[in-house]
């Protein structure tokens, strides 16, 4: 099965060359294996390029599939192979729908990586249970999950559409990366099938105001 990771090497022109690691997503310690002496982590990163001359914003939308990849590493060879590690989080649940909504969270240490993985898994599992019990709609649960990733972990949320020119990027309409609108509460609860009122929820969650 593996723990798949995408490894992006920055070029002098600020574009990136992308390579693949089958086990690089297991934990963030993998980034320390990428050095000037071992730029491909002693063979753990494939020598063959997945893509070259890729703009940074396209790494997420065109190549980082949150259903497949568990980690992303940005490597800067000009800075003595400095590596920035990101944990990839899949923001949807497996039910046959488009699974392209994901997020990346920077993890500066192994301990931070473990904490993020544990926190995200627990939060997503709890929300999934609420969906199964009918207490929370899928749309509301996903919007809440995205807001927590952004507010609690300073994550970057994105929609993966792939690099296939035939793919239909309009088939999936993502929720906002951050709740900035005044009517954020109404957006989240449009199809929330509970009898709770807005005041009931807001009173018990004063610390969960949108960023």
């Amino acid at each position: 099965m593996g723990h798949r990771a995408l490894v992006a090497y920055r070029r002098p022109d600020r574009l990136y060359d992308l390579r693949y690691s089958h086990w690089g997503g297991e934990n963030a310690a993998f980034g320390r294996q990428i050095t000037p002496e071992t730029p491909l982590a002693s063979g753990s990163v494939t020598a063959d390029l997945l893509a070259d001359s890729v703009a940074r914003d396209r790494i997420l939308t065109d190549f980082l599939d949150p259903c497949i990849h568990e980690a992303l590493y940005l490597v800067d060879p000009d800075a003595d192979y400095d590596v920035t590690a990101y944990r990839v989080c899949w923001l949807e649940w497996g039910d046959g729908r488009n699974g392209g909504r994901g997020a990346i969270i920077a993890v500066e240490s192994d301990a931070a990586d473990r904490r993020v993985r544990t926190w995200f898994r627990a939060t997503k599992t709890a929300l999934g249970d609420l969906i199964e019990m009918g207490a929370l709609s899928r749309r509301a649960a996903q919007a809440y999950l995205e807001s927590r990733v952004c507010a609690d972990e300073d994550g970057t949320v994105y929609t993966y559409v792939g690099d296939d020119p035939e793919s239909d990027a309009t088939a999936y309409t993502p929720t906002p990366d951050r709740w900035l609108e005044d009517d954020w509460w109404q957006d989240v609860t449009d199809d929330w099938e509970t009898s709770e009122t807005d005041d009931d929820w807001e009173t018990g969650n004063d610390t969960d105001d949108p960023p």
Side-chain angles (χ1 to χ4, degrees):
M1 179 179 177
H3 295 277
R4 301 169 182 175
L6 196 63
V7 186
Y9 294 82
R10 186 175 179 177
R11 298 154 47 107
D13 58 6
R14 297 189 178 183
L15 300 178
Y16 287 83
D17 291 339
L18 306 185
R19 291 184 168 88
Y20 168 78
S21 173
H22 193 63
W23 293 99
E26 187 170 8
N27 58 65
F30 176 77
R32 293 197 294 271
Q33 300 180 37
I34 302 174
T35 69
E37 293 74 28
T38 57
L40 298 181
S42 300
S44 295
V45 178
T46 59
D48 295 336
L49 288 175
L50 291 177
D52 62 4
S53 304
V54 177
R56 181 165 176 157
D57 57 351
R58 286 187 55 228
I59 295 174
L60 302 184
T61 59
D62 292 7
F63 297 97
L64 193 68
D65 187 341
C67 294
I68 294 177
H69 297 102
E70 297 181 42
L72 168 67
Y73 298 93
L74 297 185
V75 184
D76 189 351
D78 290 339
D80 201 29
Y81 278 81
D82 179 66
V83 178
T84 304
Y86 297 88
R87 178 57 52 185
V88 178
C89 302
W90 184 39
L91 299 175
E92 301 184 55
W93 289 265
D95 65 347
R97 301 183 187 182
N98 187 318
R101 195 66 167 161
I104 58 171
I105 298 173
V107 286
E108 298 180 354
S109 66
D110 297 345
D113 187 31
R114 288 192 298 270
R115 182 192 60 76
V116 166
R117 283 184 290 164
T118 300
W119 169 82
F120 182 76
R121 187 181 301 114
T123 303
K124 186 176 178 180
T125 298
L127 289 171
D129 290 342
L130 290 174
I131 294 171
E132 290 298 320
M133 292 187 295
L136 195 63
S137 72
R138 184 179 298 274
R139 179 171 177 265
Q142 184 180 343
Y144 178 82
L145 182 60
E146 292 189 13
S147 76
R148 295 275 60 85
V149 165
C150 291
D152 295 353
E153 303 297 337
D154 196 27
T156 298
V157 178
Y158 69 98
T159 301
Y160 169 78
V161 296
D163 60 350
D164 183 357
E166 300 298 323
S167 65
D168 182 7
T170 64
Y172 178 76
T173 302
T175 53
D177 289 1
R178 295 177 184 271
W179 290 335
L180 300 177
E181 300 82 359
D182 292 336
D183 59 348
W184 68 273
W185 177 257
Q186 185 63 41
D187 288 342
V188 173
T189 56
D190 278 343
D191 58 349
W192 193 347
E193 299 175 355
T194 72
S195 60
E196 295 178 83
T197 66
D198 296 358
D199 291 338
D200 290 338
W201 178 258
E202 291 173 337
T203 299
N205 295 270
D206 293 338
T207 59
D208 284 341
D209 290 340

